[in-house]
Amino acid sequence: MSTVYRNFFGFSKKPFSADLEIKNIIQTSEIKAAHDRFDYAVELGAIALVTGEIGAGKSTALRWIVAQLHPARFRPVWITASSGSILEVYRQILAEFEIKTATSSRATLTRMIRKQISELAQNRKRQPVLIIDEASLLRLEVFAELHTITQFEGDSKPWMPIILVGQNNLADNLLHRSATPLASRIVARSHFASVNREKMAAYLKHHLAIAGMKNSPFEETAITAIFQGSGGIFRKANHLARGALIAAAAEQSQVVNVDHVRLAASEIF
Ligand SMILES: Nc1ncnc2c1ncn2[C@@H]1O[C@H](COP(=O)(O)OP(=O)(O)O)[C@@H](O)[C@H]1O
Ligand SMILES: [Mg+2]
């Protein structure tokens, strides 16, 4: 099914796919705002929050922002939370530093991470920047402890800024009392909200162009239907738009109309 519609519309590759190259990421005003706040937090050695609904474009924005960091000056350490435990976080950080360990001792893991951070900062003069994606999955114990890896007593120099990326409840989780030491270092927050119709239309056009299609086959009413059906969320729009293309191709229609979007919606939601 997937290749049929691609051939029918003459796409050179799969449209609306998730593995965007950095150069194909749209530099939206939200990304620019998040970039400014990211840089600000990094400069201060502090913490920034990036929040937004699933599929709103947070991880993509961070990929773009991290790609702008000067490789000789910065050492991004990107981890994605899954189980949300502190041991997982510590192990992932060490794995990013290419350090293997079997220990389950928090004290040892913390020590190893701190050693690595200070070595990076002092000897190689590269500033580590920790990015934790899906941080809304982190357990409270992580918020209570995370600051200990970045805090170096008796030294006023900032060591490792942290960018926490997650769904909206991330901000609520940080209000918990045990998270106070971490929360007190938050200096900036950016939010990825749902986009308006105009931005959604530009988004769809952009993704079609990346996949090799200059002229959009979507009727205006179909774009409105995708916008409404997705609630202005990119990832939902991807599914709807691709589904509608498949539905149109099945009818040998070069034009994608609102019925095709409705058909797609009935299949995927
Ligand atoms: N700035 C952008 N330019 C182009 N495509 C984007 C952009 N932001 C998000 N997308 C697309 O939207 C989808 C969802 O984005 P993602 O970053 O995974 O969302 P989140 O991390 O908030 O769940 C992805 O398929 C991605 O390719
Ligand atoms: Mg994400």
Side-chain angles (χ1 to χ4, degrees):
M1 177 159 87
S2 69
T3 47
V4 173
Y5 85 92
R6 276 159 65 176
N7 294 339
F8 180 76
F9 285 106
F11 284 112
S12 54
K13 58 180 180 179
K14 187 178 167 193
F16 305 104
S17 73
D19 53 348
L20 270 189
E21 287 176 59
I22 297 289
K23 69 171 170 34
N24 287 331
I25 294 174
I26 310 168
Q27 288 161 50
T28 59
S29 51
E30 287 82 4
I31 289 191
K32 285 182 189 136
H35 191 201
D36 287 345
R37 285 162 181 78
F38 181 106
D39 281 352
Y40 180 63
V42 168
E43 195 183 309
L44 294 177
I47 299 174
L49 290 192
V50 179
T51 53
E53 232 186 277
I54 299 174
K58 303 179 296 297
S59 303
T60 305
L62 264 295
R63 277 212 295 130
W64 186 86
I65 293 168
V66 167
Q68 313 307 309
L69 287 174
H70 198 296
R73 286 186 52 216
F74 296 99
R75 169 69 161 86
V77 177
W78 180 306
I79 66 169
T80 304
S82 58
S83 82
S85 82
I86 189 89
L87 284 180
E88 179 196 55
V89 169
Y90 287 165
R91 289 217 181 92
Q92 284 185 324
I93 294 173
L94 285 168
E96 271 291 304
F97 285 134
E98 284 162 30
I99 296 173
K100 289 202 182 80
T101 173
T103 181
S104 294
S105 151
R106 287 184 189 190
T108 310
L109 291 167
T110 311
R111 203 161 45 240
M112 289 167 86
I113 294 170
R114 287 162 61 93
K115 184 163 169 272
Q116 188 64 26
I117 295 170
S118 65
E119 271 178 18
L120 262 175
Q122 288 173 338
N123 307 342
R124 281 178 267 169
K125 306 272 182 238
R126 276 175 91 202
Q127 168 72 62
V129 180
L130 177 62
I131 297 113
I132 308 187
D133 202 356
E134 306 291 359
S136 37
L137 298 176
L138 295 175
R139 294 189 201 148
L140 284 179
E141 54 162 4
V142 180
F143 294 125
E145 238 187 66
L146 197 58
H147 68 284
T148 60
I149 59 166
T150 67
Q151 192 172 287
F152 289 76
E153 236 110 334
D155 197 327
S156 59
K157 206 166 148 252
W159 288 86
M160 185 160 73
I162 305 175
I163 314 298
L164 296 171
V165 187
Q167 293 170 52
N168 302 339
N169 67 320
L170 171 62
D172 301 332
N173 296 349
L174 283 156
L175 291 176
H176 201 271
R177 211 163 150 231
S178 61
T180 308
L182 192 72
S184 66
R185 291 179 51 209
I186 298 171
V187 294
R189 176 177 178 182
S190 28
H191 182 69
F192 284 73
S194 50
V195 300
N196 61 22
R197 189 193 179 281
E198 190 190 340
K199 282 189 178 168
M200 184 56 82
Y203 173 83
L204 296 173
K205 198 161 179 259
H206 177 79
H207 274 265
L208 290 169
I210 295 170
M213 187 174 253
K214 281 206 199 86
N215 300 313
S216 167
F218 291 101
E219 286 187 344
E220 287 299 314
T221 47
I223 293 174
T224 303
I226 292 171
F227 165 63
Q228 288 172 346
S230 67
I233 297 294
F234 290 149
R235 193 174 305 154
K236 289 185 187 164
N238 289 349
H239 297 311
L240 277 177
R242 203 182 308 114
L245 286 165
I246 291 168
E251 287 179 4
Q252 302 283 307
S253 167
Q254 286 288 342
V255 173
V256 182
N257 64 32
V258 66
D259 290 329
H260 299 131
V261 179
R262 285 204 188 109
L263 244 154
S266 69
E267 282 198 26
I268 57 177
F269 293 115

